[in-house]
Amino acid sequence: MQHKSKMAGADGDDSLYPIAVLIDELRNEDVQLRLNSIKKLSTIALALGVERTRTELLPFLTDTIYDEDEVLLALAEQLGNFTMLVGGPEYVHCLLPPLESLATVEETVVRDKAVESLRKISQEHSPVDLEVHFEPLVKRLASGDWFTSRTSACGLFSVCYPRVSSTVKAEIRQHFRTLCSDDTPMVRRAAASKLGEFAKVLELDYVKSDIISLFTALASDEQDSVRLLAVEACVSIATLLPQEDLETLVMPTLRQAAEDKSWRVRYMVADKFSELQKAVGPEITKNDLVPAFQNLLKDCEAEVRAAAANKVKEFCENLPEDSRETIIMTHILPCVKELVSDTNQHVKSALASVIMGLSTILGKDNTVEHLLPLFLAQLKDECPEVRLNIISNLDCVNEVIGIRQLSQSLLPAIVELAEDAKWRVRLAIIEYMPLLAGQLGVEFFDEKLNTLCMAWLIDHVYAIREAATCNLMKLVEKFGAEWAQNTIVPKVLGMANDPNYLHRMTTLFCINALSEVCGQDITTKQMLPVVLKMSNDQVANVRFNVAKSLQKIGPVLDSNALQTEVKPVLEKLDTDTDMDVKYFAQEAISGKYTTLSIFFLYEVASLGPRSKWPILYVSERSTMCPAECVSQCER
């Protein structure tokens, strides 16, 4: 192609041929090839050198700016890291033309990435170059015919304003004012999203004279998508103004936003409430924000109530200390009590995730009298997420009222749920038990909850028995093997004599789950004898589960136990009259790392040095590779 010969050089330098191929790929019809070439743009630039990159590559890229969005996105990202490849900060302005073009394309993600790269390289311009090259680019974008360029300009004002002369600053402020009242909602939205950022780089006088009027106008915009972004800017503006100016300059607009007809604007107020609270200070919080927060907690839209509920703890923590308890008890708690029985599960879930934190703020007496009934109500909620959020934060209440008080109040509710007629409710409580046990401690667990966990092992629903088995494993991981040996293992092994064969099989499932966490000693000395004894069970289902258990626990056992105890039992099961028992016995014999495959390796290893070992015969069911065989034998 023509570009290949031009950019590879007239002298036909063969060393540049691969680069010419990459450059040709930029013109290829295949999008993936163009994308690959763009991602190697730095390689091309390094090969061409800084001068040819500036004079040939960048104009070429600028001319071919119309492409698939993913290619343009990659190009916009690459150019943000190109400063040294064009000769350093002295020549960084050469990157502006292609980025300016990218900042005007229709696809939002491409424009955003181009603006991000422009913001990045703006810092590498000297003050002089910023006024000569960068600021004119911002003006061109700000006065462009298409809304796309004007939206991109909104993100560039704040990066160049602090480093230009006062005359240029005035022009920038005027351009920003113009964009805030643009006819196109997308431009006003972009301006509103950058209002707070722009305010931070302005002098305080201009914040009061310019920004406040723009803030008021945007907060009253006909489009709710503009108004909600003005709320976000409110936080930044409030932090910049002296306390005495907040009441007159900010609060009227904020009150208006908190009661906006659009739920999306009210949602944004609720979502930013803690930040607004810190920005305006304690006095305005008491006088204005407390009533506003009450209204948000009672809002007709569930999304708003959920956002406000999520901020309850944070809002209460940031209240003035001298009046905190009074405000919470008088104004906030009545609203919280209503939300506990809200019709929307997302609202209840949001509240449940933070309500326990109020106990540390209100103290023991208020927690016992006012909060515990709410905790109990949520602990019985039909929504699993609500119950989980309460249980996962029990440690907050434990710190305030102590474990004994907690057991008297909350434990009956937990026990009630654990014995619920609906098996899915029981299942939910089992899943929370390791979390609960970790927060309440081993002594409390043994005293109050251990019996409950063992009772689940003989539940009539298989899913409950299975979950209870996993629960035991997690508890042993939390409390340790010694605790398991003294508390759990004897009870599990006792079930091996249960008249119900399903309960006997549960013993095997528990042993499978516990063997690894309990370790070799406990597994070999306490669990293995019970498994071997159960190989004589009258029920075939139990016998073939014995074979499966021996395969499962094999890697945990020592080689002597495998050789002298496990091997004979598996060989006996291999001759069982039941075909399923035989099948699983053979699976165990030929299984990876376990049982007879290991016995055989163990015996071969006793032959002497590896060089004298015979060729090993490995069963077709075995998945052991030769290296693993060697490793196993050496052990």
Side-chain angles (χ1 to χ4, degrees):
M1 290 180 71
Q2 188 177 5
H3 286 282
K4 178 167 92 171
S5 59
K6 179 184 175 184
M7 298 186 71
D11 56 359
D13 185 355
D14 289 342
S15 65
L16 289 181
Y17 181 75
I19 304 304
V21 172
L22 284 175
I23 292 169
D24 274 354
E25 286 180 357
L26 290 172
R27 288 283 198 182
N28 198 289
E29 291 181 3
D30 188 330
V31 174
Q32 191 59 49
L33 285 175
R34 296 202 302 276
L35 183 59
N36 290 341
S37 191
I38 286 290
K39 289 180 176 178
K40 296 171 183 173
L41 212 53
S42 58
T43 305
I44 297 173
L46 280 169
L48 291 174
V50 293
E51 186 174 344
R52 295 187 66 191
T53 296
R54 293 195 301 267
T55 58
E56 296 177 32
L57 181 59
L58 290 180
F60 170 77
L61 292 171
T62 307
D63 292 341
T64 59
I65 214 73
Y66 305 102
D67 206 327
E68 298 291 331
D69 293 333
E70 57 184 332
V71 177
L72 297 181
L73 180 63
L75 176 59
E77 184 175 11
Q78 288 283 320
L79 291 175
N81 303 311
F82 243 59
T83 302
M84 299 314 295
L85 297 172
V86 295
E90 184 182 351
Y91 297 99
V92 72
H93 58 83
C94 296
L95 297 172
L96 297 181
L99 285 170
E100 182 177 356
S101 297
L102 289 165
T104 64
V105 299
E106 190 173 348
E107 178 54 50
T108 305
V109 293
V110 176
R111 293 201 311 273
D112 289 345
K113 184 59 72 173
V115 169
E116 183 184 321
S117 291
L118 282 168
R119 287 167 65 96
K120 186 175 181 179
I121 67 172
S122 71
Q123 306 304 317
E124 294 164 345
H125 282 70
S126 66
V128 174
D129 284 343
L130 201 68
E131 286 200 20
V132 173
H133 299 288
F134 195 88
E135 199 269 338
L137 173 147
V138 177
K139 288 181 182 177
R140 287 194 299 274
L141 290 174
S143 54
D145 292 334
W146 291 95
F147 79 89
T148 54
S149 69
R150 302 199 298 277
T151 56
S152 293
C154 294
L156 300 175
F157 291 117
S158 60
V159 294
C160 60
Y161 185 88
R163 301 176 61 209
V164 294
S165 63
S166 56
T167 306
V168 178
K169 283 182 177 179
E171 293 175 8
I172 290 175
R173 291 196 301 274
Q174 182 55 50
H175 279 296
F176 193 81
R177 279 195 296 271
T178 303
L179 294 178
C180 284
S181 56
D182 195 276
D183 292 337
T184 309
M186 284 79 82
V187 178
R188 299 199 302 276
R189 195 155 59 233
S193 70
K194 299 298 180 182
L195 184 63
E197 180 185 288
F198 189 50
K200 289 179 180 178
V201 300
L202 259 61
E203 299 81 359
L204 182 59
D205 290 344
Y206 292 121
V207 172
K208 293 180 182 180
S209 62
D210 289 19
I211 295 297
I212 293 299
S213 59
L214 298 175
F215 166 60
T216 305
L218 291 169
S220 305
D221 194 273
E222 62 182 18
Q223 297 281 331
D224 63 352
S225 60
V226 177
R227 299 199 301 275
L228 67 88
L229 289 168
V231 171
E232 200 167 351
C234 182
V235 177
S236 299
I237 294 169
T239 57
L240 298 171
L241 294 172
Q243 190 70 30
E244 59 271 15
D245 291 329
L246 289 174
E247 185 60 48
T248 55
L249 299 179
V250 174
M251 288 313 299
T253 306
L254 183 55
R255 291 189 199 100
Q256 173 188 314
E259 299 173 358
D260 196 277
K261 62 184 178 181
S262 168
W263 71 266
R264 301 199 326 169
V265 178
R266 301 195 304 275
Y267 174 89
M268 182 61 80
V269 174
D271 190 55
K272 299 291 179 183
F273 215 86
S274 299
E275 297 172 48
L276 290 167
Q277 181 186 6
K278 292 175 183 176
V280 300
E283 285 305 311
I284 293 178
T285 294
K286 282 194 292 185
N287 299 332
D288 286 282
L289 294 195
V290 170
F293 194 60
Q294 284 180 285
N295 291 335
L296 293 170
L297 289 170
K298 297 176 181 178
D299 197 273
C300 59
E301 289 291 338
E303 287 86 350
V304 179
R305 296 198 303 276
N310 205 37
K311 299 292 178 182
V312 164
K313 179 193 172 188
E314 207 172 339
F315 178 77
C316 293
E317 281 179 334
N318 295 329
L319 287 169
E321 197 168 336
D322 58 342
S323 55
R324 181 185 299 159
E325 185 176 335
T326 305
I327 292 173
I328 295 172
M329 299 303 296
T330 309
H331 301 288
I332 305 302
L333 201 57
C335 300
V336 169
K337 287 179 179 177
E338 291 179 20
L339 293 180
V340 167
S341 55
D342 197 276
T343 54
N344 186 282
Q345 70 177 43
H346 298 295
V347 176
K348 293 186 291 186
S349 179
L351 180 67
S353 66
V354 297
I355 191 174
M356 306 293 271
L358 292 179
S359 58
T360 55
I361 301 170
L362 291 176
K364 183 174 181 177
D365 294 339
N366 285 326
T367 297
V368 172
E369 185 177 351
H370 298 285
L371 293 181
L372 274 180
L374 304 183
F375 301 157
L376 288 169
Q378 291 192 300
L379 201 57
K380 296 178 183 178
D381 195 275
E382 61 184 12
C383 174
E385 193 173 348
V386 174
R387 300 197 299 267
L388 173 60
N389 286 344
I390 287 294
I391 289 175
S392 61
N393 289 287
L394 277 178
D395 54 334
C396 299
V397 185
N398 185 18
E399 291 173 11
V400 176
I401 65 174
I403 198 66
R404 293 298 163 189
Q405 180 75 51
L406 188 64
S407 65
Q408 292 171 16
S409 305
L410 290 181
L411 194 63
I414 295 172
V415 172
E416 184 180 335
L417 288 171
E419 298 171 347
D420 195 277
K422 297 177 181 177
W423 70 269
R424 293 187 186 278
V425 176
R426 301 199 301 278
L427 184 64
I429 286 295
I430 293 173
E431 290 170 355
Y432 306 153
M433 194 56 67
L435 183 65
L436 190 61
Q439 294 189 350
L440 300 180
V442 64
E443 291 182 11
F444 181 87
F445 179 84
D446 284 344
E447 183 182 343
K448 302 290 185 182
L449 299 176
N450 196 344
T451 306
L452 205 59
C453 289
M454 300 308 299
W456 283 324
L457 292 172
I458 56 173
D459 195 279
H460 65 278
V461 177
Y462 173 76
I464 299 296
R465 299 197 300 274
E466 184 182 37
T469 302
C470 295
N471 172 54
L472 288 186
M473 182 179 70
K474 292 174 183 176
L475 290 172
V476 174
E477 287 174 348
K478 201 170 286 289
F479 292 148
E482 187 178 346
W483 172 80
Q485 185 176 14
N486 297 328
T487 311
I488 295 295
V489 173
K491 294 178 181 178
V492 167
L493 299 182
M495 291 168 55
N497 300 315
D498 196 287
N500 189 327
Y501 84 96
L502 293 173
H503 299 167
R504 299 201 298 277
M505 286 205 300
T506 301
T507 298
L508 294 172
F509 299 151
C510 288
I511 289 172
N512 294 347
L514 295 176
S515 60
E516 191 171 341
V517 289
C518 285
Q520 186 181 89
D521 191 56
I522 296 174
T523 303
T524 304
K525 292 180 180 177
Q526 291 184 253
M527 298 185 193
L528 179 60
V530 173
V531 178
L532 298 176
K533 182 180 177 184
M534 293 175 74
S535 66
N536 298 314
D537 199 279
Q538 297 298 309
V539 178
N541 287 37
V542 177
R543 296 199 302 279
F544 79 63
N545 272 290
V546 167
K548 291 170 73 174
S549 290
L550 290 173
Q551 182 176 11
K552 174 71 176 175
I553 69 175
V556 181
L557 301 172
D558 62 58
S559 55
N560 185 55
L562 286 170
Q563 179 73 8
T564 59
E565 299 180 63
V566 177
K567 180 180 177 182
V569 170
L570 282 173
E571 288 174 339
K572 184 188 75 172
L573 292 174
D574 191 27
T575 61
D576 198 274
T577 55
D578 187 276
M579 61 184 298
D580 289 326
V581 177
K582 288 180 69 173
Y583 171 76
F584 286 108
Q586 290 167 5
E587 281 282 298
I589 289 170
S590 61
K592 183 178 180 181
Y593 293 142
T594 56
T595 56
L596 291 189
S597 58
I598 292 180
F599 309 147
F600 186 56
L601 291 168
Y602 180 77
E603 290 167 356
V604 170
S606 66
L607 294 174
R610 188 185 307 175
S611 59
K612 295 182 181 179
W613 292 355
I615 297 174
L616 299 182
Y617 168 78
V618 183
S619 136
E620 63 180 13
R621 289 188 185 275
S622 175
T623 54
M624 234 185 218
C625 70
E628 291 171 325
C629 291
V630 169
S631 173
Q632 198 62 247
C633 286
E634 287 180 328
R635 280 204 291 273

